[in-house]
Amino acid sequence: MSEIPAKATESEDPSDGAGAKAARERPYDTQASQYTQVSQDTRASQDTRASRDTHSSDEFRPGDAVWQSSPPGSIYDYIKVASFSIGPDGLVDQWSLRAEQLFGIPAERAVGMDPIEAFIDPDLRERGQRKMAEILDGREWTGVVPFRMPAPADGDHGKDGLAEVYVMPTRTEDGEKAAVCIVVDVRTLRRMETDLAASQAIFGQSPFGFVLIDPELKVRRVNHRFASLFGGAPDDHRGRDVHDYLPRPEADRVAATLRRVLESGDSITDMHVSGFLPGSDERRHWSINLYRVRSGSGRPIGIAWLGTDITARRAAAREAAAARRNLALLNDAGARIGNSLDLETTARELLDVVVPGFCDLATVDLYQGLLAGDETPPGLADGSAELRRVAFASAVSDAPFVGGGAAVAVGAVHHYPFNSPCADALRTARPQYVPGEEGGLVQSTLAVPMVAHDTVVGLAQFARTKGSEPFGDRDRELAVELAARAAVCIDNARLYRREHERALILQRSLLPPGDPVASGLDIACRYLPGNASSDRPSEVGGDWFDVIELPGHRTALVVGDVMGRGLRAAVAMGELRSAVRTLALLDLEPAEVLSALDEIARGLGAPGGVQQATRAARRPREADLSEVYLATCVYAVYDSVTRRCTFANAGHLPPVLVEPGEAALMLDVPPGMPLGVGGEPFEEVEVELPEGALLALYTDGLVESRDHPLDEGLQAFVGALTDPSSPLEDVCDHVLNTLDSHHGEDDIALLMARVQGLPAESVGDWTLPREPRSVGRAREYARGQLLSWDLEPLVDTTELLVSELVTNALRYGEGEIRLRLLLDRTLVCEVWDSGLVQPRRRRARDTDEGGRGLQLVGLLSAAWGSRRTPRGKTVWFELPLPDGENGLADPAEALLSLF
């Protein structure tokens, strides 16, 4: 500074000040001891002031004041006023403790110093000396003085400062002029001014509600923001407490918190309180921060309350929480709904998701026609068609079923009245809000149609009980989404059920109907479709079995397995089964049947059939594995007369034979290559089966699964066949129960046959020489055998037909003639010869003398045919027994029909 700003006045009535010596004898510490007179009440204060007005200081009694040493908490704690005195010689003769703190110089060093020389800049000392002379001459002076701290003992540069000084002239005991100086640090004053302005700005201009509460928990001051919310001017709120702003329970909680903050000094952050603004019924929410306010001396003087309105934030948080809940619910629905292809299970999965996360009670109704397998669910026009309640869930014990009217049990069939909200929802495919009945448990219900691919398949109802949050627009949208997802899964299950039922119908139609019957065999069979495959559940497979009756009371037993699953495998199985039956009726040998089947299987994957596949096999090309049909098959022909069985195998599992009194064993039948591979011949094995033996043919689904390897399954199957004398039905059940037959990974086909050979008395066998007399002798043999069998009604017809066949053997055959009659469920007559030429039936003209023998055989017999044998051929015919279902043809009418 270039000059000292000052304001000096001469004292009109200067008072005598205390001398330096007196001052040193009576030192005091303004921070350590303060004398304060505290009035006990207003009357005592008034009496004291009156006493001071009417009595002199000599009459003041010390008992009228209360002396204490606690910090006063006044402004002097902040500005820290210092004082010192200057003697007549212009040197410091008294130095207070505050001066020590302000200037950093102890009293023993400061006393005796020249303040001008010690604190004033050299450039300003001359002017300072003049001012000091004026002061010692008895003039008051006030000004702002720049000063510099004296250099400390370590030689560092002293600190610069700026002080506001008030100098008052005094006199010593000797009457000499002196001065008392009051010093305030200007920087401290300016900092206080700045802090005060900042505090005022924060308090007055804050967009948040600001409240200062005193130690009595009364409002000391509020800002304009707080007053604008609760009404009135800021001064109108002085003296109120929290009960004037909040409901009593909430106010009690906040008051307890204020008291705890005041006592402990711990701050409270983001405390949520709720209440109502004056003139409004809307509940508001605030977040408040509380902290204790202290004076400069550290004494608690109140609590600061800073509040923020978070009503909108809480609403947004609720919306966000509801959105997150809905997304989580949809995610849960996506993971849990549709895991099964069963309609009822899918409906229950929907209710498991929504109860209790979305509603308290829920039901699912599906159209009865849909459950019955109709193509299009009925009732789309008016919504009053029959429905079946397939699922119900409740989070409330003993809760009623959702919906008005009588209660509907799960599984019951019902319908909704035309004018009901539920029928309207089904009719319009739009959700309907159904309010609860007065006095009932349900608050409201959402009736949501289950729409899949623009088709309503049912109705889902979601209800909330009284006391729960009512349904909103967001809940309505969520309910529609959940119902739509479940509807799609239910519709997929419906379509799958339809396709699966069709596939099963196709597959079962290709299997033998009912219980097969064979001559000389007791038959039992089982077929279990696979229904738990990991990738395609409940898909049909290609396993099949068949029992085919052959001429001469022989029987063909067939078990096969087309590799793969689905309709493709089922169709291939059907084609192969039809081919097997056709080839069997040609009476081919088992190896020849499998060779022909192999050609057919290779032709299934070729566009041109068998011939195209044969030509393509000659050209080198890469095979399209997606069009390759492979199958395994075992084909056996059993002759009930000889009890011999001939086997041929195409890559299938070996048959199992159980002889009476012996352990079960697997027959050593060469497996051969699977059907469809081609290029390899098939071998035959002939086995004689003892009476009462048990023969088992099966597919790999019975003995192989993911958990059980093939060898282990075969051993278990063989071990399960321990009692061949038991009824075959019981043996089948025992095998399926013993083995792991319920894994569902593949189809299971099991065919079991017990050998019951044709008795010797039921067989008539004769050899005839090649001479004309053999015809008459054959008739005699036939007549005598039939009479012994008590089949006299068949004698005439049999004689006529035997005569025709033996005559043809003599005229067109070769070698010896063999006549055989077989009696079982029908009568079979066979004529054997060594000729290889097969008889051919033709229609004779009216003028022809012959050519009508085979026509006559066809008219009079139930069936006839011929087959090749290793040594020639056999021509046969079959007649029903008199007590059979088919009546006997009249020979006379048959003869007349030829003309």
Side-chain angles (χ1 to χ4, degrees):
M1 295 179 61
S2 60
E3 61 179 358
I4 301 175
K7 178 181 179 182
T9 58
E10 184 176 0
S11 176
E12 297 179 355
D13 186 17
S15 60
D16 295 337
K21 181 178 180 181
R24 284 193 294 270
E25 293 176 352
R26 296 186 302 273
Y28 62 90
D29 184 357
T30 58
Q31 286 185 332
S33 177
Q34 298 290 339
Y35 304 105
T36 305
Q37 182 178 359
V38 180
S39 59
Q40 300 300 320
D41 50 27
T42 304
R43 182 176 300 276
S45 176
Q46 293 174 353
D47 293 343
T48 302
R49 287 195 295 270
S51 174
R52 291 179 179 175
D53 293 341
T54 57
H55 300 281
S56 63
S57 60
D58 295 336
E59 297 174 345
F60 180 79
R61 293 171 296 177
D64 295 338
V66 178
W67 299 86
Q68 62 182 22
S69 60
S70 61
S74 66
I75 192 172
Y76 296 105
D77 292 333
Y78 297 96
I79 61 176
K80 299 185 184 304
V81 178
S83 65
F84 64 90
S85 62
I86 300 175
D89 53 359
L91 302 179
V92 176
D93 65 353
Q94 186 177 358
W95 193 257
S96 66
L97 293 178
R98 288 291 180 90
E100 289 185 8
Q101 297 174 0
L102 178 60
F103 293 101
I105 300 174
E108 58 269 16
R109 182 183 173 190
V111 174
M113 294 177 59
D114 184 350
I116 302 300
E117 295 295 333
F119 301 109
I120 303 302
D121 191 87
D123 297 337
L124 301 176
R125 287 176 183 173
E126 182 179 356
R127 186 175 181 184
Q129 293 293 348
R130 291 197 303 270
K131 293 297 182 181
M132 179 62 70
E134 293 177 0
I135 292 171
L136 294 178
D137 196 30
R139 298 182 64 182
E140 291 186 359
W141 181 84
T142 302
V144 178
V145 180
F147 65 91
R148 175 177 296 172
M149 302 294 184
D154 56 6
D156 291 343
H157 188 274
K159 184 174 65 175
D160 294 336
L162 190 65
E164 182 175 349
V165 183
Y166 177 50
V167 183
M168 297 175 291
T170 61
R171 290 184 183 273
T172 65
E173 294 179 354
D174 299 334
E176 295 178 319
K177 293 183 178 180
V180 175
C181 300
I182 306 299
V183 183
V184 178
D185 189 355
V186 173
R187 288 186 175 89
T188 302
L189 291 175
R190 291 179 178 174
R191 186 169 61 251
M192 289 180 57
E193 182 182 11
T194 302
D195 293 345
L196 184 61
S199 300
Q200 186 65 26
I202 294 175
F203 194 85
Q205 302 174 17
S206 174
F208 310 114
F210 214 132
V211 183
L212 184 62
I213 300 175
D214 63 17
E216 301 299 327
L217 304 186
K218 300 293 184 181
V219 175
R220 177 70 63 84
R221 185 180 178 186
V222 302
N223 66 347
H224 289 282
R225 174 61 177 170
F226 185 88
S228 65
L229 292 176
F230 288 93
D235 293 339
D236 296 339
H237 295 269
R238 190 183 303 274
R240 298 182 181 179
D241 60 14
V242 292
H243 290 83
D244 297 321
Y245 304 102
L246 300 175
R248 186 172 186 82
E250 194 79 339
D252 293 340
R253 182 174 68 93
V254 174
T257 304
L258 291 173
R259 192 173 296 105
R260 186 172 66 252
V261 171
L262 185 63
E263 294 173 353
S264 65
D266 296 335
S267 301
I268 299 296
T269 303
D270 196 24
M271 176 181 178
H272 290 191
V273 298
S274 61
F276 302 90
L277 294 177
S280 174
D281 294 334
E282 180 185 2
R283 178 174 289 274
R284 310 291 294 182
H285 299 270
W286 295 278
S287 172
I288 62 173
N289 299 316
L290 304 175
Y291 58 92
R292 190 171 65 181
V293 180
R294 298 182 297 273
S295 66
S297 62
R299 181 172 61 89
I301 61 174
I303 303 169
W305 169 314
L306 181 63
T308 306
D309 192 333
I310 59 171
T311 303
R313 190 174 71 187
R314 283 177 60 91
R318 286 196 301 270
E319 289 291 325
R324 288 192 297 269
R325 182 199 66 185
N326 293 349
L327 288 176
L329 202 61
L330 289 175
N331 183 60
D332 191 25
R336 298 174 61 182
I337 299 177
N339 293 325
S340 170
L341 289 174
D342 181 74
L343 298 176
E344 292 81 358
T345 302
T346 303
R348 288 192 295 270
E349 290 172 346
L350 170 63
L351 300 193
D352 291 340
V353 171
V354 300
V355 177
F358 176 71
C359 59
D360 300 317
L361 303 98
T363 63
V364 174
D365 298 326
L366 298 180
Y367 277 119
Q368 177 67 9
L370 180 143
L371 295 172
D374 293 346
E375 287 292 327
T376 302
L380 299 183
D382 59 4
S384 59
E386 287 187 341
L387 300 104
R388 184 193 301 173
R389 179 148 296 174
V390 296
F392 168 75
S394 172
V396 184
S397 60
D398 299 330
F401 284 86
V402 176
V408 179
V410 174
V413 178
H414 67 103
H415 71 278
Y416 293 105
F418 178 80
N419 295 325
S420 65
C422 294
D424 188 52
L426 292 169
R427 183 169 53 252
T428 62
R430 295 179 180 178
Q432 298 294 326
Y433 180 84
V434 184
E437 299 178 356
E438 185 176 357
L441 177 66
V442 175
Q443 178 194 73
S444 58
T445 302
L446 281 178
V448 183
M450 305 180 70
V451 183
H453 310 300
D454 297 329
T455 301
V456 178
V457 299
L459 182 72
Q461 297 184 73
F462 310 108
R464 290 180 179 175
T465 57
K466 293 182 178 178
S468 302
E469 183 178 356
F471 288 112
D473 293 338
R474 189 186 298 275
D475 296 325
R476 182 189 298 261
E477 295 173 359
L478 177 61
V480 171
E481 178 66 21
L482 291 171
R485 292 194 179 193
V488 170
C489 295
I490 288 175
D491 191 56
N492 291 340
R494 176 183 68 86
L495 295 176
Y496 172 79
R497 175 183 288 185
R498 184 187 66 185
E499 297 299 327
H500 182 60
E501 289 177 352
R502 290 177 177 178
L504 288 179
I505 291 174
L506 171 63
Q507 188 179 40
R508 294 186 185 279
S509 66
L510 299 176
L511 296 175
D515 295 329
V517 177
S519 176
L521 292 175
D522 184 11
I523 302 292
C525 55
R526 292 288 187 274
Y527 175 76
L528 300 178
N531 56 11
S533 178
S534 59
D535 52 350
R536 292 174 179 254
S538 300
E539 193 172 27
V540 297
D543 293 16
W544 92 92
F545 66 91
D546 208 345
V547 178
I548 307 170
E549 292 188 82
L550 300 179
H553 290 310
R554 293 174 304 129
T555 303
L557 304 176
V558 188
V559 169
D561 182 6
V562 177
M563 298 182 185
R565 298 187 65 81
L567 287 176
R568 180 174 176 268
V571 170
M573 177 267 288
E575 294 188 20
L576 291 178
R577 178 175 179 267
S578 299
V580 169
R581 295 189 70 87
T582 301
L583 295 171
L585 293 178
L586 295 177
D587 216 345
L588 301 177
E589 297 297 327
E592 294 177 347
V593 171
L594 292 185
S595 297
L597 279 179
D598 181 58
E599 292 290 336
I600 294 174
R602 284 192 292 161
L604 292 178
V610 178
Q611 293 182 354
Q612 185 67 24
T614 304
R615 296 191 190 102
R618 300 191 185 104
R619 298 192 302 268
R621 67 177 181 88
E622 294 188 11
D624 185 3
L625 295 180
S626 63
E627 296 298 332
V628 173
Y629 287 82
L630 298 178
T632 62
C633 179
V634 60
Y635 184 87
V637 175
Y638 169 73
D639 189 342
S640 61
V641 178
T642 62
R643 294 199 308 274
R644 302 190 68 84
C645 187
T646 304
F647 296 92
N649 191 353
H652 202 78
L653 296 175
V656 175
L657 178 65
V658 186
E659 297 183 1
E662 302 290 339
L665 57 89
M666 290 182 287
L667 296 178
D668 186 12
V669 179
M673 299 298 293
L675 302 177
V677 175
E680 293 292 334
F682 297 97
E683 300 182 28
E684 294 181 354
V685 173
E686 188 176 59
V687 179
E688 183 175 355
L689 305 179
E691 185 73 17
L694 182 64
L695 181 66
L697 306 178
Y698 52 95
T699 58
D700 58 354
L702 178 66
V703 295
E704 185 179 22
S705 66
R706 290 187 179 94
D707 299 328
H708 299 282
L710 180 60
D711 293 342
E712 180 181 334
L714 287 174
Q715 294 299 325
F717 178 49
V718 171
L721 298 174
T722 56
D723 187 8
S725 61
S726 300
L728 279 185
E729 295 294 333
D730 296 342
V731 175
C732 289
D733 294 337
H734 173 71
V735 169
L736 295 179
N737 293 331
T738 303
L739 302 181
D740 183 19
S741 60
H742 300 288
H743 53 76
E745 297 173 8
D746 195 5
D747 295 359
I748 296 176
L750 175 62
L751 178 62
M752 305 192 76
R754 177 176 286 114
V755 176
Q756 296 176 350
L758 202 63
E761 59 271 16
S762 297
V763 178
D765 195 349
W766 304 274
T767 301
L768 303 174
R770 293 190 61 82
E771 57 185 23
R773 291 182 300 176
S774 295
V775 177
R777 193 175 302 169
R779 288 196 297 266
E780 292 177 0
Y781 290 152
R783 172 182 289 272
Q785 188 66 58
L786 291 180
L787 291 177
S788 66
W789 288 340
D790 294 330
L791 295 178
E792 185 176 358
L794 298 180
V795 171
D796 293 341
T797 303
T798 303
E799 281 186 323
L800 177 60
L801 299 183
V802 166
S803 176
E804 290 291 335
L805 294 184
V806 173
T807 301
N808 285 341
L810 289 174
R811 294 181 61 182
Y812 306 109
E814 297 178 2
E816 291 183 340
I817 301 173
R818 181 183 177 188
L819 174 65
R820 191 168 72 167
L821 295 178
L822 307 175
L823 177 62
D824 192 46
R825 293 179 293 110
T826 60
L827 175 66
V828 175
C829 176
E830 297 177 341
V831 177
W832 303 52
D833 68 82
S834 302
L836 299 179
V837 179
Q838 297 290 329
R840 182 172 62 89
R841 181 180 177 180
R842 65 183 181 87
R843 182 174 294 278
R845 291 174 294 185
D846 295 340
T847 58
D848 291 341
E849 295 182 359
R852 295 180 177 85
L854 293 180
Q855 291 185 13
L856 183 63
V857 173
L859 289 173
L860 295 178
S861 66
W864 79 278
S866 66
R867 68 176 186 274
R868 292 181 299 170
T869 63
R871 298 178 182 178
K873 68 176 181 295
T874 300
V875 182
W876 58 271
F877 67 86
E878 183 177 347
L879 294 175
L881 300 181
D883 56 349
E885 296 179 359
N886 298 324
L888 297 175
D890 187 358
E893 293 183 1
L895 291 173
L896 292 177
S897 66
L898 296 177
F899 300 94

